[in-house]
Amino acid sequence: MIFLLKQIGVVHSEAKHKNYTNWNKVISEIRLNQEFQSGLYRLEEYSHAIIVFFMDQFNSSESDLMIKRPRDRKDMPNVGVFAQRTKYRPNPIGISVVKIEAIQDHVLTVRGLDANNNTPVLDIKPYITEFDTRENVDVPYWMKKLMEDYF
């Protein structure tokens, strides 16, 4: 089955290439298409949002591989693409929890969006603790090591 998705906006930031450190310092603007501007109404009441985006800026030749090392690092184990947040996946959809810095007209300014400049945005959702936070969560040791200094 094939789905058709609408791009609701685009990321504007200084991030030109995928980076693996200090994303929490990156300020990005999400410039929404005018017809979706009213969808931002009252989003400023939240401190954080979830941004859903399409990772279109990479060579997708590895997207058919279902098992690979995270970031191709030799110190990481081979794991399935669904056990990591790699851009090389059947549908290169990314999600990030971001801090809302400002909203003005059709521009949402956020901190911590790990998406490159000109990345298409598919959706914006408010971060709601009751939906988005879980207790007693287990994460493998290698993922904790991989995420050191990411944010």
Side-chain angles (χ1 to χ4, degrees), residues 30-41:
I30 298 171
R31 297 182 188 164
L32 291 185
N33 300 356
Q34 292 290 334
E35 70 261 33
F36 301 116
Q37 178 179 339
S38 64
L40 294 173
Y41 180 64

Side-chain angles (χ1 to χ4, degrees), residues 13 15 25 28-29 42 71 86 117 137 141 147:
S13 78
K25 295 179 181 174
S28 302
E29 289 184 347
R42 297 187 75 165
R71 298 186 205 152
T86 180
N117 188 45
V137 175
Y141 76 92
M147 295 306 297

Side-chain angles (χ1 to χ4, degrees), residues 59-150:
N59 180 348
S60 62
S61 63
E62 294 184 55
S63 294
D64 292 336
L65 300 175
M66 288 292 105
I67 297 177
K68 63 186 296 324
R69 292 181 192 277
R71 298 186 205 152
D72 293 320
R73 286 177 40 173
K74 303 241 184 276
D75 63 332
M76 293 288 126
N78 279 315
V79 294
V81 298
F82 303 131
Q84 57 180 302
R85 293 282 188 100
T86 180
K87 58 189 173 186
Y88 300 111
R89 47 196 329 106
N91 293 302
I93 295 171
I95 60 169
S96 287
V97 174
V98 298
K99 170 99 173 69
I100 297 171
E101 296 289 331
I103 300 173
Q104 185 169 349
D105 299 324
H106 69 285
V107 178
L108 170 62
T109 304
V110 300
R111 177 183 298 273
L113 178 59
D114 61 339
N116 292 349
N117 188 45
N118 292 320
T119 295
V121 175
L122 301 175
D123 202 0
I124 299 167
K125 299 178 182 294
Y127 184 91
I128 301 171
T129 307
E130 291 79 7
F131 283 141
D132 303 314
T133 303
R134 297 293 181 264
E135 295 179 13
N136 304 317
V137 175
D138 292 323
V139 178
Y141 76 92
W142 56 266
M143 181 55 76
K144 289 180 182 179
K145 182 177 179 182
L146 191 68
M147 295 306 297
E148 290 174 356
D149 300 319
Y150 192 82

